[in-house]
Amino acid sequence: MTASVSGRTDPVVRRITTADIAEALTQGLRDFQAQPLFGLAFGLLYVLGGISIVLCVTAFGMVYLAYPLAAGFALIGPFVAIGLYEVSRRRELGQPISYGAILRTVTSRGEIGWMAFVTVFFFVLWMYQIRLLIALLLGLNASFSSIKEFMTVLLTTNEGLLFLAIGNLDGAALSLVLFSLTVVSFPLLLDRDVDFVTAMITSVRAVVTSPGPMIGWAAVITVLLIVSALPYFLGLLVTVPVLGHATWHLYRRIVAPA
């Protein structure tokens, strides 16, 4: 064992397999079934966020930002889901569950605020990069009256196809980095008294220790979120809470008890 930034012993990271991911998903579904109102409430925040993004960019004539914003919104998912981690933690310990108790626990963990800053930083970085790509490839003053017009440009012009290719590769790289930094760090900060740097290092160690299963878990999250967002974001009502609860149980399998 090695000492963390705070001087404490680093958490022990265990290797996992795809079977652990399947079991975590099963446990996540059980948590959602046991506490559906909490899950639906947090899922609703995600749904309303997605709908608000589309309405806002449409109202301001910036429909070309709808897809990047929706994709970027997923980057802050680990922070949004922290309330779901707390529901699973309290169920595990047999503690009473209420919105007030969840809020008190989350706000009492000061290091979570720093992790939230990290996720927001990645979101802002993503949006700046997309705006730069639009300016370079589609024109500095690019403007589209509808999503249909924007999609036509993307799919029928060389510049549009290049924008899609570079944008998606860039988004995938950013998402993988942020996933590696946060997949374990948010649950760890909720569970133990560690600094956010140690939490991020532990999260990266978890991905490096089990690269195949962890990247597979990232792919599962991505696919489920995309499919769930297609029917006017309504599928996120169920997908977000199940994935949030499952992330907590996967964390329990990755990080050994203190």
Side-chain angles (χ1 to χ4, degrees), residues 55-109:
L55 292 178
C56 287
V57 296
T58 302
F60 287 104
M62 297 185 293
V63 292
Y64 54 88
L65 290 180
Y67 172 67
L69 276 170
F73 192 54
L75 293 176
I76 61 175
F79 174 63
V80 176
I82 197 165
L84 297 165
Y85 307 156
E86 177 62 7
V87 170
S88 292
R89 189 184 76 88
R90 286 180 168 272
R91 279 202 72 225
E92 185 180 284
L93 299 175
Q95 296 178 346
I97 302 173
S98 68
Y99 292 109
I102 294 171
L103 181 61
R104 284 192 297 273
T105 300
V106 172
T107 54
S108 68
R109 307 295 202 268

Side-chain angles (χ1 to χ4, degrees), residues 40-149:
L40 290 173
F42 286 108
L44 183 61
L45 291 176
Y46 230 81
V47 172
L48 293 178
I51 294 174
S52 298
I53 286 172
V54 174
L55 292 178
C56 287
V57 296
T58 302
F60 287 104
M62 297 185 293
V63 292
Y64 54 88
L65 290 180
Y67 172 67
L69 276 170
F73 192 54
L75 293 176
I76 61 175
F79 174 63
V80 176
I82 197 165
L84 297 165
Y85 307 156
E86 177 62 7
V87 170
S88 292
R89 189 184 76 88
R90 286 180 168 272
R91 279 202 72 225
E92 185 180 284
L93 299 175
Q95 296 178 346
I97 302 173
S98 68
Y99 292 109
I102 294 171
L103 181 61
R104 284 192 297 273
T105 300
V106 172
T107 54
S108 68
R109 307 295 202 268
E111 295 291 314
I112 288 177
W114 289 106
M115 279 307 306
F117 174 79
V118 172
T119 60
V120 171
F121 171 78
F122 270 80
F123 176 78
V124 173
L125 179 62
W126 161 248
M127 293 310 302
Y128 267 109
Q129 289 182 339
I130 287 299
R131 194 66 189 92
L132 177 62
L133 285 175
I134 289 176
L136 291 176
L137 299 176
L138 303 181
L140 187 61
N141 299 312
S143 179
F144 306 92
S145 59
S146 66
I147 294 180
K148 181 179 179 181
E149 180 186 347

Side-chain angles (χ1 to χ4, degrees), residues 5-6 12 42 44 47 62 72-73 101 110 119 122 124 126 141 159 177 189-190 207 234 241 244 251-252:
V5 173
S6 61
V12 176
F42 286 108
L44 183 61
V47 172
M62 297 185 293
F73 192 54
T119 60
F122 270 80
V124 173
W126 161 248
N141 299 312
E159 294 82 0
V177 172
L189 289 172
L190 196 63
V207 174
L234 295 179
Y251 154 74
R252 282 300 200 201

